[in-house]
Structure formats: structure tokens, C-alpha cells
Amino acid sequence: MARRFVLKPDPSAAPSPLTLDYAGDLNPQQHAAATAPGGPVLVVAGAGTGKTRTLIYRLAYLVETGTPPEQIVLLTFTRRAAREMLTRAAALLDGRCSRVQGGTFHAFCLAILRQHAPRLGLPAHFTILDAADAADVLDVLRTARGLHRAARRFPRKRTLQAIFSAATNRGLALEEILAESYPQFEAYRDTLDALQQDYADYKQRHGLLDYDDLLHRTLTLFERHPDVRDQVSARCRHVLVDEYQDTNRLQAALVTQFAHVHGNVMAVGDDAQSIYRFRGADFRNIFAFPERFPGTRVLKLEHNYRSTQPILDLANHVLGRATRKYEKHLFTDVRGGEPPALVPAPDARYEARFVAQVVLELREQGVPLRRIAVLFRSSANAYELEVELNRRNIPFVKYGGLKLSEAAHIKDLVAHLRVLENPQDAVAWNRILQLLEGIGPKTAADLIAWLTAARDDPFRLEERPFAPRYVEALKALFETLRAARQPGVPLPAQVERLVAYYEPICRRVYYEDYPRRLQDLEHFLALAEHAGDRAAFLASLALDPVELTALEAEARADDEPPLVLSTIHSAKGLEFNTVFVIHALDGVLPSGYALKDPDALDEELRLLYVAVTRAEERLFITYPMLRYQRYQGEYLTRPSRFIDGVPERLLEPWTLVEEGPPALPDAAPPEALPGASDGTRGDEIDDGLPF
DNA sequence: TTTCCCAAGCTTTTT
DNA sequence: GCTTGGGAAA
């Protein structure tokens, strides 16, 4: 064990006076956190208590007191969060924070792995698998073992991926995962064990890493090569971690490693806002922090600056319904405020009309669209609303919907880029080859085996007995790849070349709806223009997926910033003047999957808590009383058990009433719905509705 | 071996 | 409404 020697500040470097008024800008608790000396610090911060502000001032303080920005690491949950914090910090210190290392655990680990890939026997240009790619690999491996024709039902590829991912993220053996969550597959334990090994071998052989590998293999790298660990850690003189309650076991272990040399870690989080259990997050990490880092200074932020008291009253009430007790009671000095509203609507279309109309009224009153958010449990819940907003020309961005890089045609195109980067990338080859006429799974597998065997130039077709039914197509493919791979071809030109090649394929394969897809190819081309080099572009596509609607919103950049539609998960850490929580139904929020498991149910409750605490001034919780489900047709819903029976003084019931004579739904003019009346019980609907 | 067609099954949240 | 899987024709 090396001896630790602490260097005192260099006396010749006279400390310049601080430019920010830390004591004046922050409350005492925030100030204590922002200006804490080195060593481990845990900041337990309730919703809306200025957690982000504190972290930003912490960054500024560290920089002002002499820590070189490039030696500070800010780990966040999304790139969006990192970007926002760094921008705000840069604004405070006019740019002096810009060189802070920031990003997600995954992105930070990727950078480390890139640098040290050979130490793990990986090619420097390894490529990254998203969840769908990982499932595709497993599909191939499962077929290779003949498991697809097993007597008893074998897990489908997405399930396999989920099982293996859970095992990695939670640091558990397959056996434990099966016992806990997949008892129906326990009979396949040995087979699954073998398949897991196949998967690991396959990735190693073809230079592939999935999301979990980014974390897991970084830890392995540190374990096997302590010198790398020390080198990385020495450059992390201060580690700041946001949303610590949502770290999983691997991430908590990584934090320890990053902070190994200096022990300067600040973790910020709120156990009541832990909402990522499904991907291995463990809120107990936050309580274990002081044990993990002896000498931890624990600070609490309790004073809420965001919401009005009525909103906090509801939030406190919601949290009080949890099985587990939280020592949280949010309070504020913000006076007054409307009570949150509970709005039952006859069906989802009415719900959408209500939201759209209130949004327009608020805009009239001067609330900008971007300060209003509509939140929901799952992306499909917003379908009717999207239709309505489009109909009324209200611009919106939707976060948490389909990502550009998840669309089939974009995956096709990206696969081409990936083989340029990593010719061993067998999943990408598999995708590319099967796009060609006359090539199916079998031929693709044979070709891949040949392609990824060691050859001088993986992009040349030598003599080989190719079947005539596809040889021309194959030649065209290789010609394109070789041309795009010429040294000196800039990324946009590479992409342009690939798009030109791919376009006819796209028309053929997606003949029903290719026009829309061709548009996306244009977007993709535009993205490549500002992307840096190919490796960086691929990494950002994998780790920082672009929302499809965000692209559209950008296309109309001169318009006003759009209304925000978001899953509750994606809205974490954000705040809005007005928040709508739609589809607050039993079976939706809480999700139907969570009903049997008390822990899962608690997480759903925390989800509602997160949603509620996003609101500053106005909060509407709405739900449709009638729903269409694909199979069952329409049926009566039950409001979420989390809002059922909440006292009316905390959540005021509203009733929607149709104005004037009943109109047919399709003919209803946009403004037909009047403002809500008040007072009456919420479950009564005026007659005259077309049901 | 590929491709097409039909039936079955399932569907959350994200890096 | 969509993906996935199985079966049969080309």
C-alpha cells in the first residue's frame, strides 16, 4: 500500500479573491455543501431544494479555489443534465468551467475503455451494442444452439437480453435473477449459463461492448490493472455524482474507484426520487454511502424553492402513502397558489382536448409553452394528445418516445458505419447483409464467418463461390464500403455515400412507408455534419440518442420553443411552471406490472412524487374514465390508487362540461370545451357527450 | 434457403 | 398495432 502524502497549496500561487458571492447566493445548507472541504460529502436533497444549483456552485467553487477544471468529473444520469449543468456553470464563471469532464457513467467509461482497449484484448475501434443489437446477437446464438425449437418455451431474445443485463447490473448470479424474476425459466438454468458465456465470447471475438459492459469492463480493467485505475483516479481530483439514488451496484463501485486516490467525492441524491430500480438501481446505495466512504459529511437540503405549498402538500401526502417511510417533509415560503386539480375526462380524446385548451389559455396569459410539461408513465399514453396538438398546431417536443437511432432504417444505415469503424462487428454485418436480395440468415451467417476471419482487407471480395443470386448486390455493397473508407473522406461525405447506396434498399424494404423514412435519412445526414469523427458520431448515437420530435422541433427553430411532452423518467431533474400528469390510472401509474410486488409499487408511487414535484405553480392530474384497449375494446377505468381518496382540500376535483349543443367528436370546433367548473364531484359527466 | 403469409403473443420506464 | 415465430411455397 502506497503511503499517502498530502501536498499543501502552493504558497506562491496567491489565491485570487472569489468572484461569486457563495454565502449570499445560497442558503446555509447549500453553502456548506458548495464550499465543503475535500473528502466525501453526501448531500441528501429533497425535490426542488436547489440540488442542481448547489452542484453548479460547487463546480464553480472548486474551479475558483484552484482545482483545474479538467480534473473535475461530473457524473450525471443523462447527457442532457450534464450539458445543462456545465452550461450554467460556464455562465457563472464566464467559461472557466468548460473543460470539466462531464457526462454519463456510460460515456465516461467509454472514454476510459477506448484509451485502454488493448489491455482488455479489445480492438481500439470496438463498437457499442444497444439493447436491440444485444438481443439480435442473442437471437443468432440461440439459433446456433438449436434452442429456438426447444420443447418447452425458451425465453425470447428481448427477455434473454433483459435477464443477462439484470445479472450484470445488479452483480448477481444468473441463478439469483431467475429465482427472483423469472421462475418460469429456471429449468433452463444450465442452458442460459452456457448462452451467457457464448454471448461474452461472441462480443470479445467481434470487438463489441454492450451498455453493461461499458461499466462492468471498466471495473475489470481497474481490477486487473491498478496502474490504470490510479492514473484515471489521479485525474479525478473531485468526483461529483448527481442522482446518486439511481446508481446501481456497478456505478457505486465505479465511484469508489474514481475517487480512489483523493477520496474527494460529492454525491447528491434523494431516496424518495429513486425511479430506476428496473435497471438495477438500488436506493440503498445512498444510505450505504457513509459506510463506503468513512468520514462522510452528510448535509441535508430541505427548503423547497420550486413549488407552491398546495403542490407540496399533495407531494407530501403522496409520499406518505408509501410502504417505506421517508423522512421527507417538503416546505416552502412561496405563499398562496391554487390547489392541484384532479380532472376526470370521459375518454382520452377529451383528456387531450382539456390539456390542449388549458395550454392555449396559459399561453394567452403569458406562460411560454416551454414552461409547460405534460408527463406520463409510458410514451404511448400521449398518443391522443399528440394527435390533438398536431390538429391545433401547438408545437411540442416529446422526450422518451422513439429515438431516431432506434428506427429500423436508421439502424440499417448505422450498421454500415459500424462496419467501416469495426470490420469485425458481426451484428452490423448481419443486418447489412440481410438487406440484400437473396441473402437470408443462413447465407449471412456463412458470409460473416468468412468476412470476420482474419484477412488483409476486409473490404475486398476475392475469389469465392458466391451464389449468382446475390453476387451483384454484394459487389455493390463492397464497392460502397471501400469508397467510404478511403482515407481522408470526411464523415459527412461517408454518410452521404452510404445514404446514396442505401436509399433504393430503403424503398424496397420499407415500401409501405418509405417517404417518411427517407426524410429521417436527411436528418441523419444533417446530424453527421456536426458530429466530429466517425467514432465520436457512433458513440453519441449509442449513448445520447436523439429524440425524433426534437429533430422536428429544431427544424422549426424560428418558432417559439415548444411544449414539453415527456415520460416522468425523462423529466427527472427538470422543473416547469405548469405540469399535467395524464393517464393517472390504475394499471398505468402504477403500472400493471408492478401491482403484485410491494417494492415495485413503491417505486411507482415515487414516480408520481417525482411528477408532482416538477410543478412550480400549477398542477393538473387527469385521467380518462373510458379507455380502448386493443383486445378488450373499451372498458371503464379506475383512477390511480395513489390519488383515489386524496382529500379534496389537497386535490380539487374538476368536472368537464361540453359547451352548447352536443357536437359530433370529429366536427367539434377546437374551442368547444369551456373552462372547467369547480366544486362538484369529479366523477360526474354532463349528459350530451356522444357516449 | 429465402421469402411470404398467417397466427400468436405481448406491450414500461433508459444508458 | 406491432413484433416474433412457425410453416409452406418458390
Side-chain angles (χ1 to χ4, degrees), chain A residues 103-225:
Chain A
T104 61
F105 278 90
H106 290 86
F108 191 63
C109 286
L110 172 62
I112 295 168
L113 288 171
R114 276 269 180 252
Q115 239 183 325
H116 303 282
R119 300 272 201 128
L120 289 169
L122 286 167
H125 293 280
F126 64 81
T127 36
I128 298 168
L129 303 177
D130 67 16
D133 297 324
D136 285 344
V137 174
L138 288 164
D139 195 38
V140 169
L141 296 174
R142 182 235 254 138
T143 310
R145 277 184 175 263
L147 294 167
H148 55 300
R149 292 186 288 124
R152 278 194 54 199
R153 226 163 63 97
F154 196 73
R156 27 179 17 199
K157 58 181 184 177
R158 294 308 295 251
T159 312
L160 289 171
Q161 191 269 329
I163 294 173
F164 294 153
S165 177
T168 312
N169 273 309
R170 296 174 55 195
L172 298 176
L174 211 47
E175 195 178 346
E176 295 170 273
I177 299 291
L178 291 179
E180 193 179 303
S181 317
Y182 301 91
Q184 69 273 34
F185 297 131
E186 275 190 299
Y188 279 120
R189 205 186 82 198
D190 294 342
T191 318
L192 288 172
D193 262 328
L195 198 60
Q196 192 180 29
Q197 191 57 51
D198 286 356
Y199 180 50
D201 294 343
Y202 186 96
K203 286 183 294 186
Q204 183 71 24
R205 193 165 61 242
H206 294 295
L208 302 168
L209 293 186
D210 64 23
Y211 288 144
D212 307 327
D213 289 329
L214 292 176
L215 308 180
H216 183 239
R217 306 216 61 185
T218 303
L219 276 174
T220 314
L221 176 73
F222 288 167
E223 260 163 42
R224 293 205 197 138
H225 304 282

Side-chain angles (χ1 to χ4, degrees), chain A residues 248-277:
Chain A
N248 64 29
R249 207 154 142 169
L250 292 178
Q251 291 164 324
L254 281 165
V255 171
T256 312
Q257 297 300 320
F258 294 151
H260 174 257
V261 169
H262 292 273
N264 298 328
V265 204
M266 175 175 288
V268 176
D270 176 5
D271 56 307
Q273 291 186 68
S274 155
I275 53 174
Y276 279 93
R277 203 180 76 111

Side-chain angles (χ1 to χ4, degrees), chain A residues 343-361 372 374-376 380-394 396 563 565 580-584 620-626 628 656 658 665 668-674:
Chain A
V343 190
D347 68 12
R349 282 212 45 197
Y350 279 85
E351 185 184 39
R353 282 172 61 192
F354 169 74
V355 172
Q357 185 178 327
V358 176
V359 165
L360 289 177
E361 284 170 9
I372 307 175
V374 184
L375 306 182
F376 33 84
N381 301 155
Y383 178 75
E384 283 86 358
L385 181 62
E386 288 176 61
V387 172
E388 185 66 22
L389 294 173
N390 278 326
R391 211 163 64 84
R392 302 199 191 199
N393 281 320
I394 302 176
F396 65 90
L563 173 72
L565 272 53
F580 297 85
V581 181
I582 63 171
H583 268 60
F620 298 88
I621 298 181
T622 72
Y623 64 88
M625 291 186 285
L626 202 61
Y628 312 96
L656 299 186
E658 190 88 46
E671 262 63 56
L673 194 70

Side-chain angles (χ1 to χ4, degrees), chain A residues 555-573:
Chain A
R556 309 175 310 245
D558 44 9
D559 288 3
E560 61 180 311
L563 173 72
V564 174
L565 272 53
S566 175
T567 56
I568 300 173
H569 284 92
S570 293
K572 195 165 74 146

Side-chain angles (χ1 to χ4, degrees), chain A residues 476-616:
Chain A
L477 168 65
F478 275 74
E479 203 168 304
T480 305
L481 292 178
R482 246 182 306 125
R485 212 176 125 87
Q486 291 297 323
V489 183
L491 176 67
Q494 295 175 29
V495 176
E496 213 166 320
R497 188 132 210 153
L498 294 177
V499 169
Y501 161 81
Y502 174 70
E503 206 187 286
I505 296 182
C506 185
R507 284 171 194 273
R508 173 171 56 81
V509 178
Y510 307 102
Y511 57 90
E512 320 95 331
D513 63 347
Y514 65 88
R516 238 191 31 211
R517 296 175 189 265
L518 293 183
Q519 276 189 349
D520 287 347
L521 297 185
E522 294 301 314
H523 287 314
F524 187 77
L525 205 51
L527 278 184
E529 304 274 348
H530 317 278
D533 68 0
R534 190 170 56 213
F537 187 42
L538 285 171
S540 91
L541 285 171
L543 298 180
D544 188 22
V546 180
E547 313 279 345
L548 270 174
T549 57
L551 278 179
E552 288 163 25
E554 220 166 277
R556 309 175 310 245
D558 44 9
D559 288 3
E560 61 180 311
L563 173 72
V564 174
L565 272 53
S566 175
T567 56
I568 300 173
H569 284 92
S570 293
K572 195 165 74 146
L574 305 178
E575 57 189 26
F576 301 90
N577 172 279
T578 300
V579 167
F580 297 85
V581 181
I582 63 171
H583 268 60
L585 293 173
D586 232 44
V588 174
L589 179 62
S591 150
Y593 300 97
L595 299 182
K596 286 151 284 169
D597 176 356
D599 287 344
L601 209 52
D602 258 15
E603 175 145 318
E604 300 288 317
L605 189 83
R606 293 194 295 267
L607 212 41
L608 178 60
Y609 176 76
V610 169
V612 165
T613 52
R614 298 309 94 200
E616 292 166 1

